[in-house]
Amino acid sequence: MGGSGNLESEGRATVNLFIVLACLNAVACAAALMRMRPATIILTANQILVLVAFGNIARFGQPTSQGFLPTSVFSLENISIAENLFCITTAMLLLIAFLPSRFRNEQLALPVVPSWVLTLLLAYFVSVAFSQRTILTNAYADPDSAVYNVSIGGGAYAFLASLLLYEVVRRTFVGTLRRSTGFAFLFFAFLATDYLKGSTGLASGFVITAATLIFSREPRPTRRWITLGAILASLALFLIAVRTMRATLSTEGTAAFAQFSSQLQRKSSDQANTGEGIETMGNGAQYAAHVLECIALYESGVDREWRSVYLPLLYTFEPSFLLRPLGIERPLEAAWELANYYIHGGGIFVVGELYWNGGYLCVVLVFAGLSWLAWKCDTRYRDNFFWLIMVCNFSSNLFQGIGYGFAQVARGAINGLLALLVWKVGGFVLRRSRGLRADSPLSDPRPSPRAQVSN
């Protein structure tokens, strides 16, 4: 039995509200899949993972993987607050999943990423692919796996990846690239740069967003839903496999696959003893613990006072690769500050973080804003260039961002606005330079005096 004992036997209701909420999120996720809404798919999928973990905690107590935490974190009072928080967020996600779309399926006039920019992008991602050895030869996070350093920071990397995603999606939209070819190109690109290195979070957000955007143009609804559903199911199994084997594949080889299979069976059958199931292989138990830790801190009077909400703008203009050369020290992100109070495995689940920043009010206001932005991206990307750029940035960062904190989530939205700013400024400079060339004597369309004389 889990470390805190069976919480239902300690006075909890026999109906497990977390499992009910997980089912409601599954309904919202299915509706989002049928309507090809990537941001809502990602938000609901993350909540399902955490709610299943909470369901096991409510039934069996503190998970063994979180046994290093004080048992007080898993108190009935904290779990009751978590129920309230997820009731709020589930209601919002159900709303945006079923709100109507406004797709007109018209042909968009989409700007082309210049060929020289695309060449530089491809060169950069090739250099990233070869900058680190794979998990086939070195364990995940092994310092000896590094070959050379091309790191420019997570935010800048996501920005460049979003440009590549946009251009591939644009080509599938206008018909110059087959949908299957475009998706395969992006998947294998992230396989080379991320998955084979053991990194799954950011790449998965891009793959899910790419699949949804690209196959949203499939004219046959049944084929569209089946294709996307098969991709998402296969990706989920692939992610669990990579996360499970990335530390042992290099030393155990094919034996790691057998251990992966047996571990899946063990996780599924041993929940009563461990307080967790296969959701822990996707960080579900860790994220649930994050929420409870944040609740415990806020209830004890430790309040972040909305810092998580306004600091991401500062982080945007302080790229990580400039911090050391400029001698800049950033204010602590929430995940790092959480580590001052509790040992945890990294990251911070955004619902708990918002509660830590301002209680129920912060959760309601900020999560409502996230839900609205997700709905706008999801329902406008097929007939609006602005929202296509936004969904390529915002949705792609969500998969990792929800578990790594509000700064990661906000970074996707800010990157989208920066991409639009670059496009506007670049377009203005190009038009201005063309206008100057047209006004110069060298480009004067009138015949020269000599030409007039000779005529």
Side-chain angles (χ1 to χ4, degrees), residues 6-86:
N6 189 312
L7 293 180
E8 285 186 353
S9 66
E10 295 178 15
R12 294 199 60 77
T14 55
V15 175
N16 193 323
L17 181 57
F18 290 113
I19 299 303
V20 174
L21 293 174
C23 292
L24 291 175
N25 276 269
V27 170
C29 189
L33 186 151
M34 296 185 70
R35 294 178 169 201
M36 310 301 283
R37 299 184 176 186
T40 307
I41 290 172
I42 291 172
L43 284 169
T44 51
N46 271 279
Q47 286 219 149
I48 292 169
L49 181 73
V50 177
L51 287 166
V52 170
F54 266 114
N56 283 324
I57 292 171
R59 292 178 63 197
F60 306 118
Q62 182 173 354
T64 54
S65 67
Q66 305 300 309
F68 51 82
L69 291 172
T71 57
S72 59
V73 169
F74 297 85
S75 69
L76 290 173
E77 292 77 12
N78 291 345
I79 291 176
S80 180
I81 293 173
E83 284 182 337
N84 296 337
L85 296 180
F86 284 104

Side-chain angles (χ1 to χ4, degrees), residues 229-249:
I231 289 173
L232 295 182
S234 301
L235 181 64
L237 183 61
F238 176 71
L239 292 183
I240 293 173
V242 171
R243 293 183 62 85
T244 303
M245 297 188 294
R246 61 188 179 182
T248 59
L249 187 60

Side-chain angles (χ1 to χ4, degrees), residues 47-336:
Q47 286 219 149
I48 292 169
L49 181 73
V50 177
L51 287 166
V52 170
F54 266 114
N56 283 324
I57 292 171
R59 292 178 63 197
F60 306 118
Q62 182 173 354
T64 54
S65 67
Q66 305 300 309
F68 51 82
L69 291 172
T71 57
S72 59
V73 169
F74 297 85
S75 69
L76 290 173
E77 292 77 12
N78 291 345
I79 291 176
S80 180
I81 293 173
E83 284 182 337
N84 296 337
L85 296 180
F86 284 104
C87 282
I88 293 169
T89 58
T90 298
M92 292 181 186
L93 294 182
L94 279 168
L95 177 63
I96 65 169
F98 286 98
L99 277 176
S101 301
R102 199 192 62 179
F103 287 143
R104 296 188 295 267
N105 286 319
E106 297 177 354
Q107 193 70 27
L108 277 175
L110 297 174
V112 178
V113 174
S115 57
W116 65 270
V117 174
L118 192 59
T119 300
L120 292 176
L121 279 176
L122 293 174
Y124 171 71
F125 284 106
V126 168
S127 69
V128 170
F130 287 101
S131 68
Q132 188 177 348
R133 297 179 180 88
T134 71
I135 54 176
L136 299 175
T137 60
N138 293 74
Y140 175 63
D142 180 358
D144 293 334
S145 64
V147 179
Y148 52 85
N149 184 22
V150 292
S151 174
I152 56 174
Y157 177 77
F159 180 81
L160 297 180
S162 298
L163 283 181
L164 184 64
L165 170 63
Y166 164 77
E167 179 58 20
V168 172
V169 169
R170 184 198 69 80
R171 294 187 181 204
T172 64
F173 275 17
V174 300
T176 59
L177 184 65
R178 289 171 59 90
R179 285 186 287 271
S180 56
T181 304
F183 176 74
F185 170 79
L186 287 170
F187 176 79
F188 284 107
F190 287 109
L191 181 69
T193 58
D194 289 71
Y195 289 130
L196 284 177
K197 313 305 189 301
S199 299
T200 58
L202 189 61
S204 298
F206 277 95
V207 171
I208 294 170
T209 303
T212 312
L213 299 184
I214 288 172
F215 292 104
S216 69
R217 290 282 176 160
E218 166 59 52
R220 291 160 289 189
T222 302
R223 183 169 180 174
R224 184 167 66 230
W225 301 330
I226 292 174
T227 301
L228 182 58
I231 289 173
L232 295 182
S234 301
L235 181 64
L237 183 61
F238 176 71
L239 292 183
I240 293 173
V242 171
R243 293 183 62 85
T244 303
M245 297 188 294
R246 61 188 179 182
T248 59
L249 187 60
S250 60
T251 55
E252 297 180 359
T254 55
F257 288 91
Q259 292 185 6
F260 166 62
S261 178
S262 63
Q263 190 171 351
L264 276 178
Q265 296 175 7
R266 187 170 61 255
K267 288 286 186 183
S268 300
S269 61
D270 205 25
Q271 297 179 66
N273 295 320
T274 63
E276 56 195 354
I278 61 172
E279 77 281 350
T280 194
M281 302 171 79
N283 281 356
Q286 178 177 305
Y287 292 159
H290 289 166
V291 175
L292 294 174
E293 290 161 16
C294 291
I295 291 171
L297 287 171
Y298 186 77
E299 292 301 306
S300 66
V302 180
D303 187 348
R304 289 204 88 227
E305 299 176 335
W306 299 74
R307 291 197 302 276
S308 290
V309 180
Y310 61 78
L311 284 178
L313 188 62
L314 174 65
Y315 299 152
T316 300
F317 297 102
E318 292 180 352
S320 59
F321 63 92
L322 291 178
L323 296 183
R324 183 172 295 178
L326 297 180
I328 298 174
E329 185 175 348
R330 280 180 172 177
L332 279 180
E333 289 190 18
W336 288 102

Side-chain angles (χ1 to χ4, degrees), residues 368-389:
L370 289 179
S371 300
W372 174 84
L373 182 57
W375 177 74
K376 290 290 285 187
C377 288
D378 284 348
T379 59
R380 299 294 185 268
Y381 68 80
R382 276 190 280 187
D383 54 21
N384 188 291
F385 168 65
F386 174 91
W387 290 110
L388 178 58
I389 284 289

